Amino acid sequence: GANAGGNSSVAVISDEARAAVLKLLWSVLTHPGASSLKCYEELKAYVTNELRVEPIGKVHRETFLGSCKETLTVNARKITGAESIDEILALRMVKLTRFVLEACPRDQAVVLVTADNASLAVLLFRELTAYLNRRAVSLASPQLKKQTSSMVSADNHHQLALSERLHIIRYAYGLSDRADMSSQQLDHLWSLCAVPGDREALMIFLANAANAEMGPA
């Protein structure tokens, strides 16, 4: 290239090599056993930097978001608890969805969330309600009630799982007026948050959303 003589000591990574490395790292980030990796956050930071390399980063962001949407769509259909699901991995895919959106320039994030009548925002909402339905089924399960240690573990995970899901929904719906949560959706959420802790989390979610809409005084 024109700069070859002046930058001969600088290693240039081809788009093909970047794509191969990113594909491999994404498979690591989405692997069921990735939670045990001590370097997980460092890997995410590296992937974020790579996703912001333009113009090829735009393609990768859309590809990875598509991967997230596929998993969210599958999980949003699992509402009875009868279908096997790895709840830790399900939560991680929700978090990775936000991770990819936050790697986007704001304009692209808005387009990705609001395209097709805000289908991604609606999908995130459906995934949340499916999770809450599965949670209700598990609480009603006599087998689970007998396992005190499992209940404690499930409760601890649930607090994080609910707050993270509400967090990304507020982020998605807050990106643009074209993604608007209806009163019917809020009523549905309220009905699914049957225990006091869940309703408290939902009240915090609503208060934060209201504050964001009002903006600074």
Side-chain angles (χ1 to χ4, degrees):
N3 297 325
N7 296 321
S8 58
S9 62
V10 177
V12 178
I13 303 175
S14 70
D15 287 344
E16 291 79 7
R18 285 186 189 278
V21 171
L22 271 175
K23 185 177 180 180
L24 175 62
L25 290 179
W26 183 254
S27 68
V28 171
L29 293 179
T30 57
H31 190 277
S35 300
S36 60
L37 288 175
K38 293 181 179 178
C39 61
Y40 188 79
E41 292 303 320
E42 287 82 357
L43 286 178
K44 283 177 65 179
Y46 179 83
V47 171
T48 295
N49 290 335
E50 287 298 301
L51 287 177
R52 288 175 174 163
V53 175
E54 301 294 9
I56 197 66
K58 180 177 185 292
V59 176
H60 294 311
R61 293 190 298 266
E62 291 174 352
T63 299
F64 292 162
L65 187 65
S67 169
C68 290
K69 288 167 68 175
E70 286 179 11
T71 304
L72 292 176
T73 300
V74 171
N75 292 346
R77 296 192 186 110
K78 297 181 177 181
I79 61 175
T80 66
E83 312 92 336
S84 65
I85 183 168
D86 181 340
E87 292 291 6
I88 293 175
L89 182 57
L91 175 60
R92 187 173 339 126
M93 293 308 296
V94 171
K95 294 169 71 173
L96 284 173
T97 302
R98 176 164 184 170
F99 165 74
V100 175
L101 287 172
E102 289 185 331
C104 297
R106 182 177 174 85
D107 288 350
Q108 186 190 17
V110 170
V111 169
L112 292 171
V113 168
T114 60
D116 300 321
N117 295 317
S119 63
L120 178 55
V122 173
L123 176 58
L124 287 164
F125 179 85
R126 286 178 47 231
E127 196 279 340
L128 167 60
T129 58
Y131 166 72
L132 288 171
N133 273 305
R134 294 194 302 272
R135 166 74 174 172
V137 170
S138 72
L139 288 176
S141 167
Q143 182 179 4
L144 189 56
K145 284 182 178 179
K146 292 177 183 177
Q147 301 170 353
T148 307
S149 60
S150 296
M151 282 295 289
V152 172
S153 175
D155 283 343
N156 290 338
H157 176 262
H158 170 64
Q159 292 171 5
L160 176 63
L162 179 58
S163 65
E164 288 284 358
R165 283 174 166 91
L166 289 172
H167 201 49
I168 188 174
I169 284 177
R170 185 161 65 88
Y171 168 79
Y173 279 92
L175 277 173
S176 169
D177 292 341
R178 284 176 286 167
D180 190 28
M181 186 173 290
S182 68
S183 58
Q184 288 89 347
Q185 284 177 296
L186 290 174
D187 287 344
H188 186 41
L189 260 187
W190 185 260
S191 69
L192 289 171
C193 291
V195 298
D198 291 0
R199 292 200 165 180
E200 182 179 355
L202 184 55
M203 290 297 291
I204 293 171
F205 162 78
L206 293 173
N208 288 336
N211 289 337
E213 285 184 8
M214 291 173 64

